[in-house]
Amino acid sequence: MFLAVNSALLMAPQKATAQVSISFQIFYDDLSPYGYWIDTPEYGYAWVPNISSAFIPYRTNGYWVFTNVGWTWISNYSWGWAPFHYGRWYYDSYYGWIWVPGYEWGPGWVIWRRSEGFYGWAPIGPGISITIAYSSGYRLPYNYWTCVRDRDFGRTNIYNYYVPTSNNVTIINNSTVINNIQRDNSTRVKYNSGPDRTEVQRQTGTTISPVTLRERNNPGQNLSKRELQIYRPRVEKNRAAQREPAPSKVVRLKDLQPAAQRNVRIQPQRENQPARQQHDDQQRQRNEQQQPARQQRNDQQAKEQQVKQQQIQQQMQQQANEQRARQQRNDQQAKEQQRNDQQAKEQQAKQQQMQQQANEQRARQQQMQQRANEQQPRQQQMQQRNDPQAKQQQKQKRND
């Protein structure tokens, strides 16, 4: 009985930790020190992070780690628990990347794609459900995508291995979606867990052990070797009787400077990080600030390389056209020679036929002449027998 009871306890599913319920107010309050809340006509209140204009969500200052819910984005910003796991991002050419709050928690609201030798991902836009995002009709600009070689995926310093965005066109055009849709039964939320772990292990040659997610009671996140503590409360929609949540300070759009002109300050990093990690994060931020110049150089080199490739392709195409033209001329000459040879053969055959006919005609004439010659002596004899004078002469000859 003791063993049966213990077995039943071990086999019984564990209850999930009850999630705290919050409203958008916690987003408004917790993110205000690190950016600007604006009131947009399309989405209502949205948040603009006060960071470098080179910032790209799910690319800058973070990395992917495999957890028990799939590949989860770990941001090195202290506020990363919210904008990378709730809501959606969209890009404005003047203000940069802007975040719109949402109600559903996910490991990372991105579209995953797989190409030969590469993985790629891009932020899903506002108002786009996971079903629409992975439909054939949803497309994102090529510069929204972040791509990395499959052998480098899963690195904590993955920012050093990003493929230049100039290669995105080729990679994305030759890719397929990673349609690994999962469903959280406790919240009924659908999300994409990303690349298959077995495939990533095969490509990287490493063993990947899932990190366990643990509920955290206050905003933030902390990653240890085997556990990710992250604040992921259930966000409830505002009830009619409650006061409508709103940011304490809303910046008018006309007063918000463009991304390249803002007075960007160093953003705080995740807490409880070892000294080595803090050093890496500081180095990562310096790299981020230098990224535009590097990106410009990379783009310039990519353009030059693309121009060279185009020139080489044009030369190869020109050579191919010349070769094709020569081949066509040779084929035409061969056809003409074949036609001439055929005509010569036909002419020769006609001449031989005419010669044969002439020979046959000559042979018939000779036969006729021969028959004529053979008939002439007989005719002479008959004429002599029938001629009286000839008879008299012949008789005189006999008498003599």
Side-chain angles (χ1 to χ4, degrees):
M1 183 178 295
F2 176 77
L3 292 174
V5 171
N6 279 279
S7 299
L9 290 174
L10 290 173
M11 294 177 63
Q14 296 180 358
K15 294 183 179 179
T17 305
Q19 286 185 309
V20 178
S21 296
I22 63 168
S23 68
F24 279 2
Q25 192 62 52
I26 196 166
F27 296 143
Y28 300 148
D29 296 341
D30 196 67
L31 298 182
S32 289
Y34 313 118
Y36 310 95
W37 284 102
I38 58 176
D39 192 359
T40 67
E42 300 91 349
Y43 310 111
Y45 294 127
W47 183 68
V48 182
N50 186 24
I51 50 181
S52 168
S53 59
F55 167 79
I56 299 176
Y58 303 104
R59 177 185 177 98
T60 305
N61 211 10
Y63 57 96
W64 294 101
V65 65
F66 190 77
T67 69
N68 54 318
V69 297
W71 290 99
T72 304
W73 181 255
I74 302 298
S75 173
N76 292 312
Y77 296 121
S78 62
W79 43 263
W81 67 272
F84 301 111
H85 301 286
Y86 295 93
R88 302 287 191 268
W89 288 89
Y90 74 96
Y91 182 74
D92 184 278
S93 59
Y94 188 78
Y95 299 109
W97 284 95
I98 301 174
W99 178 66
V100 179
Y103 295 95
E104 298 176 340
W105 188 94
W109 295 111
V110 299
I111 302 177
W112 290 99
R113 295 191 76 91
R114 175 79 166 96
S115 180
E116 183 64 30
F118 299 92
Y119 289 119
W121 61 90
I124 301 174
I128 304 298
S129 67
I130 196 72
T131 303
I132 296 176
Y134 282 88
S135 66
S136 59
Y138 187 63
R139 293 288 184 270
L140 289 171
Y142 294 108
N143 59 341
Y144 286 18
W145 290 87
T146 298
C147 297
V148 67
R149 295 189 180 276
D150 50 15
R151 65 172 180 261
D152 298 320
F153 186 74
R155 295 175 180 269
T156 56
N157 61 341
I158 196 171
Y159 59 88
N160 285 328
Y161 297 90
Y162 292 147
V163 176
T165 54
S166 56
N167 295 346
N168 286 358
V169 175
T170 302
I171 295 174
I172 299 303
N173 284 345
N174 294 279
S175 67
T176 56
V177 295
I178 301 176
N179 199 2
N180 196 3
I181 304 298
Q182 306 293 327
R183 184 177 185 272
D184 187 338
N185 293 327
S186 62
T187 60
R188 298 181 181 179
V189 172
K190 291 183 179 180
Y191 62 91
N192 194 314
S193 60
D196 180 71
R197 180 178 63 155
T198 304
E199 184 185 75
V200 175
Q201 289 182 143
R202 183 172 61 253
Q203 299 297 336
T204 60
T206 59
T207 301
I208 300 173
S209 300
V211 174
T212 303
L213 285 180
R214 297 294 183 192
E215 302 290 341
R216 180 182 166 121
N217 296 326
N218 57 329
Q221 60 187 8
N222 184 39
L223 176 65
S224 62
K225 188 174 182 180
R226 296 292 181 185
E227 185 175 273
L228 172 61
Q229 296 179 3
I230 191 168
Y231 188 54
R232 53 170 188 164
R234 187 190 304 272
V235 182
E236 293 185 349
K237 295 183 179 181
N238 194 57
R239 298 177 183 176
Q242 295 177 338
R243 182 174 64 87
E244 188 72 23
S248 59
K249 181 181 179 181
V250 178
V251 178
R252 294 182 300 179
L253 284 175
K254 65 179 183 178
D255 296 332
L256 183 62
Q257 291 182 330
Q261 298 178 11
R262 292 186 206 124
N263 184 20
V264 177
R265 63 186 181 87
I266 299 297
Q267 294 283 348
Q269 307 297 301
R270 288 188 292 116
E271 62 223 39
N272 299 329
Q273 299 182 87
R276 178 62 181 172
Q277 183 65 36
Q278 291 180 356
H279 176 269
D280 290 345
D281 290 338
Q282 292 174 359
Q283 181 64 36
R284 190 176 294 113
Q285 282 196 342
R286 286 194 292 270
N287 291 338
E288 177 190 337
Q289 293 176 353
Q290 297 171 359
Q291 188 174 0
R294 287 201 305 270
Q295 186 64 43
Q296 186 175 4
R297 289 195 299 271
N298 292 338
D299 291 344
Q300 182 64 28
Q301 292 175 356
K303 289 180 181 179
E304 293 176 355
Q305 183 66 23
Q306 186 176 5
V307 170
K308 290 181 180 178
Q309 291 178 353
Q310 289 177 349
Q311 291 176 347
I312 294 174
Q313 290 177 354
Q314 290 176 354
Q315 291 176 355
M316 294 177 64
Q317 184 64 35
Q318 184 177 359
Q319 292 176 355
N321 293 337
E322 293 175 354
Q323 180 67 23
R324 192 179 301 110
R326 285 196 298 270
Q327 186 64 39
Q328 289 177 351
R329 289 196 298 270
N330 293 336
D331 293 343
Q332 184 66 26
Q333 291 175 357
K335 288 180 180 179
E336 292 178 357
Q337 183 65 35
Q338 185 178 5
R339 192 162 50 246
N340 294 336
D341 292 343
Q342 183 65 26
Q343 292 176 353
K345 288 180 180 179
E346 293 176 355
Q347 184 67 24
Q348 185 177 4
K350 288 181 180 179
Q351 290 178 353
Q352 290 176 352
Q353 185 178 6
M354 293 175 64
Q355 183 65 35
Q356 184 177 359
Q357 292 175 353
N359 293 337
E360 292 175 353
Q361 180 69 23
R362 190 178 302 109
R364 284 195 297 271
Q365 290 176 353
Q366 289 177 354
Q367 290 177 355
M368 293 174 65
Q369 183 65 36
Q370 184 176 1
R371 284 196 296 268
N373 294 336
E374 291 176 351
Q375 290 177 359
Q376 186 175 4
R378 287 195 297 270
Q379 290 177 354
Q380 290 176 354
Q381 291 176 0
M382 291 176 64
Q383 185 176 5
Q384 289 177 357
R385 283 195 296 268
N386 296 328
D387 188 359
Q389 186 178 359
K391 290 180 179 179
Q392 184 66 33
Q393 292 177 355
Q394 188 175 9
K395 183 177 179 181
Q396 184 67 34
K397 286 180 180 180
R398 280 196 303 269
N399 293 332
D400 295 342

